[in-house]
Amino acid sequence: MQTANASLVFAGFLALSVSLPAAAAEKFTGVNKDFQTLSQTSVNIPDKPGHSCKQTTETWKSTGSGDLDNFWATAVEQTDSIAGDITVRGYGTGHTASGDLTYFSWEGTNKVNPKDGGAFELTGTGKFNWLGGTGKYQKINGQ
């Protein structure tokens, strides 16, 4: 399934996005890993050839250079696919070791280009946003 892998690649985009500034004076880097799908529901939509919609609940670990980089996340992601054109939107909660939470979202688009032998190339673009949090992350915001 080509679109099943798109979520994982977009999650890779999310991993890259974690290196963006959390506040004007703070930058951090991190790596997301150990992705686990908790649930997934998909439906084929008959309005256009190759149209499907998928909702996924997932969790992963983030590790990096600071407190904000070391958390485990829970998230829900919606993927709308039409014949290789994919739109993704997700919302998540980061659970830090201190018990403080961060809230974030991401959205973007991907394009699947089939290759010989069942392989494919996936290109994408998108953005990541901090939406707030609790404790010391109550006022976190930005991209």
Side-chain angles (χ1 to χ4, degrees):
M1 293 183 76
Q2 293 175 337
T3 57
N5 293 324
S7 293
L8 294 176
V9 174
F10 201 81
F13 161 77
L14 183 59
L16 295 174
S17 299
V18 174
S19 66
L20 297 173
E26 181 182 359
K27 289 193 178 199
F28 56 94
T29 58
V31 175
N32 295 336
K33 59 184 180 179
D34 298 332
F35 285 88
Q36 294 180 15
T37 298
L38 303 176
S39 67
Q40 189 172 71
T41 302
S42 61
V43 62
N44 291 321
I45 302 170
D47 64 338
K48 299 173 186 161
H51 191 185
S52 66
C53 187
K54 178 173 58 173
Q55 186 159 340
T56 305
T57 304
E58 53 203 0
T59 186
W60 67 87
K61 294 176 189 173
S62 180
T63 59
S65 59
D67 182 47
L68 192 54
D69 310 323
N70 293 288
F71 63 87
W72 64 275
T74 54
V76 62
E77 176 179 82
Q78 181 109 15
T79 306
D80 190 18
S81 303
I82 303 174
D85 292 320
I86 303 165
T87 302
V88 178
R89 176 172 285 155
Y91 298 90
T93 302
H95 307 262
T96 66
S98 67
D100 293 334
L101 303 175
T102 59
Y103 306 116
F104 54 90
S105 67
W106 67 93
E107 61 182 60
T109 58
N110 294 303
K111 175 72 176 166
V112 176
N113 296 308
K115 301 287 184 183
D116 292 334
F120 62 92
E121 177 182 70
L122 182 76
T123 57
T125 185
K127 67 179 183 175
F128 175 94
N129 291 300
W130 292 110
L131 304 175
T134 65
K136 74 182 199 178
Y137 301 115
Q138 186 174 12
K139 295 183 181 182
I140 192 170
N141 63 44
Q143 296 181 352

